[in-house]
Amino acid sequence: MVVIGCDHGGFELKEQIKVFIKDMGEAVEDVGTYSTDAVDYPDIALKVARYVLENGVLGILICGSGIGMSIAANKVNGIRCALCHDAYTAEFSRRHNNANIIAFGGRTTGVEIAKQMVKIFLSTEFDGGRHQRRIDKISSLEEL
Ligand code: RB5
């Protein structure tokens, strides 16, 4: 199970990524938006962040650039949202950063790169070890 959300800037790519995820045999929860009508990306980022935390699943956020979604999602305690642009960043967002949400841009990322990133993100595990100490330090920043 994976949860996905977008704003109007990411709507078309979200629809394509949903089909891709289903074709991989994975269930996908779509929390919107459901058209190209303008919406505010922080509202969607919060929905995906809550779903991730409540259900222990990975999430996907898409806006025009991916930037607003990633900034907003990372305001929620417990969320590590990685803005990714290629296979390398998608892989290491999981292996080193234990990211629980991937963000990318509907206006900046082509569909084939997005599919590649999603496949890698959903199938790559956290390396743990020394990286866990660093994740713990990130978590401690939430107390400031
Ligand atoms: C909406 O026009 C745009 O600002 C949004 O999709 C996103 O790119 C923000 O970071």
Side-chain angles (χ1 to χ4, degrees):
M1 166 64 78
V2 55
V3 59
I4 193 166
C6 69
D7 74 353
H8 49 291
F11 174 72
E12 285 171 16
L13 185 54
K14 183 200 71 176
E15 293 304 296
Q16 296 177 87
I17 293 299
K18 262 169 58 178
V19 172
F20 177 69
I21 293 169
K22 286 177 187 165
D23 286 349
M24 285 198 303
E26 189 93 33
V28 55
E29 176 75 15
D30 181 359
V31 299
T33 189
Y34 305 111
S35 77
T36 53
D37 293 347
V39 294
D40 296 336
Y41 58 79
D43 299 334
I44 304 293
L46 180 58
K47 282 187 184 183
V48 166
R50 283 192 170 141
Y51 197 97
V52 164
L53 295 174
E54 286 166 12
N55 298 282
V57 299
L58 296 175
I60 301 168
L61 282 168
I62 314 171
C63 60
S65 62
I67 295 171
M69 283 294 198
S70 56
I71 291 172
N74 280 316
K75 295 291 182 188
V76 179
N77 286 356
I79 293 298
R80 291 175 300 280
C81 178
L83 174 58
C84 293
H85 292 98
D86 49 37
Y88 183 90
T89 48
E91 177 182 342
F92 282 87
S93 74
R94 291 285 306 133
R95 289 184 56 188
H96 285 192
N97 310 115
N98 199 12
N100 47 17
I101 299 179
I102 184 172
F104 47 86
R107 296 172 184 158
T108 58
T109 300
V111 63
E112 295 305 326
I113 297 292
K115 287 180 189 174
Q116 188 182 39
M117 292 196 301
V118 165
K119 186 173 181 183
I120 290 168
F121 187 77
L122 297 182
S123 61
T124 303
E125 297 295 326
F126 178 46
D127 281 355
R130 67 188 185 281
H131 301 292
Q132 184 59 55
R133 181 179 71 248
R134 296 159 184 165
I135 299 307
D136 292 342
K137 288 189 177 185
I138 291 175
S139 300
S140 72
L141 300 178
E142 294 172 350
E143 312 302 323
L144 297 179

